[in-house]
Amino acid sequence: MVRLKQLWPSLMVLAVLVIGARAVPITKLESAVAKGAVCLDGSAPAYHLDKGSGSGVNNWIVHMEGGGWCADTASCEERKSLMKGSSELMNEDFGFFGILSGNQTSNPDFYNWNRVKVRYCDGSSFTGDIEAVDPAHKLYFRGFRIWQAAMDDLMAKGMSNAQNAILSGCSAGALAAILHCDRFKSILPETAKVKCVSDAGFFINGKDINGGSSMESYYSKVAATHGSAKNLPVSCTSSMKPELCFFPENVVKTMQTPLFVINAAFDSWQIKNILAPTVVDKHKEWNKCKQDFKKCTPTQLQTVQGYREQMLAALEPFRATNTSGLFLDSCHTHCQGGSAALWSGPQGPQVGKTKMAKAVGEWFYERSTFQNVDCPSLNCNPTCPGATTED
Ligand SMILES: *[C@@H]1O[C@H](CO)[C@@H](O)[C@H](O)[C@H]1NC(C)=O
Ligand SMILES: *[C@@H]1O[C@H](CO)[C@@H](O)[C@H](O)[C@H]1NC(C)=O
């Protein structure tokens, strides 16, 4: 009989092969606590770092985790019992996939870079900074300090010698990548090639089903709760209300650093929360449709199709600059670049016959430009995925 003990090493190897990624351990920034850089519950911020090697030792990709926002005391309070609000509750290991993968085959341009995943536990896309701590709730609004503390720590670990660097993220983390992109460039050596990548972070100030702007009202609460205004790009806040400066369409106009946008034209989060949020869908007529487009009425489908038009209009100023990269697929999904399958796998969505790994790599190294908008209608692209991996 083969004993389990003897089998163990080969089972471990098998597990790694099946998962296709090495688990990257967490680093908690205990020293950041003294600077007041803490998660909503007061715990230390955290990241996962997989060190670069060979030709990638001086290259850095810093990717911020997503997970929506909290806009008031009650919703931020809820996060204290989740890993989205406390590093005490975070998983110790993270498998790195897609744009963070250490596998040369699936991530040929970035596999040997220093790859970092900054954990999200502030609920403000790393923009908050309020000194006072509400004694009744013991909630800390310090997202921006977390971002700064993470950057300081990574600079000390070698990022100050970066030759190539990318600030990226998924969803709320992708929005943070846009909001902090120029700042990221400014802390790195002048000689470094620095660019940013937003995966599902192009949240538009779209009209909802009642013709209002629910998302603008929502961001107004986020900004007030977290004290975000002073940490949003000044080039935007100097002429617009803070809540408007959460929208990439208003920020990219004055952004200096090149940005690549990966987004679904029918982004599932945006359809649910910007087009048909529960607050305006009083009779819950959109409940089924916004989960599954097969359950939409013909009129609802037209409205969904119209959302893509809103998205294209919002992207117009961004597309006008020749340094912008764009991979806008006509899929119904949210966050694509963190998945092994979608980033470069055989089932990966294609726009202009290209998968996102190739599009982003070519654009970063300027081997070619890439601005591609998919065929216009829902279901027109047979390479679209049926599922998502992270929100
Ligand atoms: C790397 O990715 C390729 C393609 O997905 C896969 O076939 C291979 O097994 C992976 N290698 C490792 C060491 O996981
Ligand atoms: C973008 O345009 C500027 C000014 O016309 C030019 O100098 C630059 O080389 C262009 N960059 C790319 C990547 O095409």
Side-chain angles (χ1 to χ4, degrees):
M1 192 179 88
V2 185
R3 295 171 57 160
L4 187 62
K5 215 169 159 186
Q6 292 164 334
L7 260 177
W8 198 234
S10 44
L11 282 176
M12 291 292 280
V13 169
L14 187 68
V16 168
L17 284 177
V18 169
I19 298 165
R22 195 149 55 88
V24 181
I26 200 164
T27 301
K28 293 191 184 168
L29 296 175
E30 300 295 347
S31 63
V33 178
K35 298 183 221 163
V38 290
C39 299
L40 284 164
D41 72 334
S43 58
Y47 64 63
H48 303 251
L49 163 64
D50 200 2
K51 288 209 159 171
S53 62
S55 60
V57 281
N58 289 321
N59 298 340
W60 290 76
I61 178 160
V62 180
H63 184 91
M64 287 168 284
E65 187 179 28
W69 305 270
C70 59
D72 53 29
T73 305
S75 60
C76 290
E77 183 88 35
E78 274 173 28
R79 288 185 177 224
K80 284 166 68 179
S81 57
L82 306 166
M83 60 182 171
K84 281 197 277 188
S86 173
S87 62
E88 307 284 333
L89 303 169
M90 289 174 185
N91 44 314
E92 294 287 313
D93 296 313
F94 224 113
F96 275 14
F97 300 102
I99 195 169
L100 287 179
S101 169
N103 179 325
Q104 183 171 8
T105 314
S106 51
N107 194 22
D109 283 306
F110 310 119
Y111 76 98
N112 64 356
W113 288 32
N114 294 280
R115 287 157 290 109
V116 185
K117 180 160 192 143
V118 183
R119 301 301 296 268
Y120 185 43
C121 61
D122 64 273
S124 71
S125 282
F126 300 86
T127 63
D129 191 355
I130 293 183
E131 179 63 31
V133 182
D134 169 358
H137 301 281
K138 289 231 169 58
L139 269 174
Y140 296 78
F141 300 105
R142 303 284 177 76
F144 185 62
R145 289 196 212 180
I146 292 178
W147 190 78
Q148 284 180 309
M151 295 308 130
D152 288 350
D153 197 75
L154 295 170
M155 290 296 275
K157 285 189 173 142
M159 198 166 74
S160 59
N161 298 317
Q163 286 163 356
N164 293 294
I166 292 177
L167 185 67
S168 71
C170 139
S171 195
L175 177 62
I178 295 175
L179 298 176
H180 295 326
C181 185
D182 283 346
R183 207 175 257 129
F184 181 66
K185 159 110 181 128
S186 75
I187 62 173
L188 292 171
E190 247 179 82
T191 50
K193 183 196 281 291
V194 182
K195 300 190 178 189
C196 300
V197 176
S198 158
D199 178 12
F202 210 91
F203 298 96
I204 65 168
N205 193 0
K207 287 211 186 336
D208 61 45
I209 48 173
N210 286 353
S213 178
S214 312
M215 199 59 193
E216 189 179 319
S217 317
Y218 183 74
Y219 277 151
S220 157
K221 288 188 211 154
V222 173
T225 298
H226 293 268
S228 301
K230 59 185 177 290
N231 300 317
L232 295 168
V234 179
S235 53
C236 179
T237 50
S238 59
S239 63
M240 285 187 181
K241 294 186 287 185
E243 55 269 37
L244 291 175
C245 297
F246 268 104
F247 291 109
E249 67 208 66
N250 297 325
V251 171
V252 292
K253 286 179 196 162
T254 52
M255 227 170 111
Q256 303 288 310
T257 313
L259 171 69
F260 195 106
V261 167
I262 299 169
N263 225 99
F266 304 103
D267 183 294
S268 52
W269 193 95
Q270 296 198 40
I271 298 288
K272 255 183 228 158
N273 300 288
I274 300 183
L275 179 64
T278 314
V279 282
V280 298
D281 183 27
K282 299 260 189 262
H283 305 294
K284 302 199 182 330
E285 283 155 359
W286 278 77
N287 253 11
K288 285 187 181 139
C289 164
K290 68 185 183 183
Q291 307 291 343
D292 180 357
F293 289 159
K294 286 191 210 77
K295 297 183 177 148
C296 299
T297 66
T299 315
Q300 285 174 330
L301 277 180
Q302 268 176 12
T303 307
V304 168
Q305 192 65 46
Y307 196 80
R308 177 178 178 275
E309 299 305 318
Q310 295 196 56
M311 175 79 74
L312 285 174
L315 281 164
E316 223 164 83
F318 172 68
R319 293 173 70 191
T321 69
N322 68 352
T323 56
S324 313
L326 178 64
F327 184 100
L328 187 76
D329 59 39
S330 283
C331 306
H332 180 211
T333 180
H334 185 68
C335 282
Q336 305 178 78
S339 146
L342 304 185
W343 176 245
S344 62
Q347 310 297 322
Q350 298 174 30
V351 178
K353 297 202 170 87
T354 308
K355 289 176 192 165
M356 56 194 93
K358 180 149 187 264
V360 173
E362 303 269 290
W363 164 85
F364 182 85
Y365 284 111
E366 288 151 35
R367 295 190 288 253
S368 68
T369 57
F370 193 93
Q371 267 204 22
N372 247 308
V373 173
D374 205 355
C375 51
S377 59
L378 200 56
N379 302 323
C380 67
N381 184 342
T383 66
C384 278
T388 61
T389 50
E390 189 189 352
D391 65 22

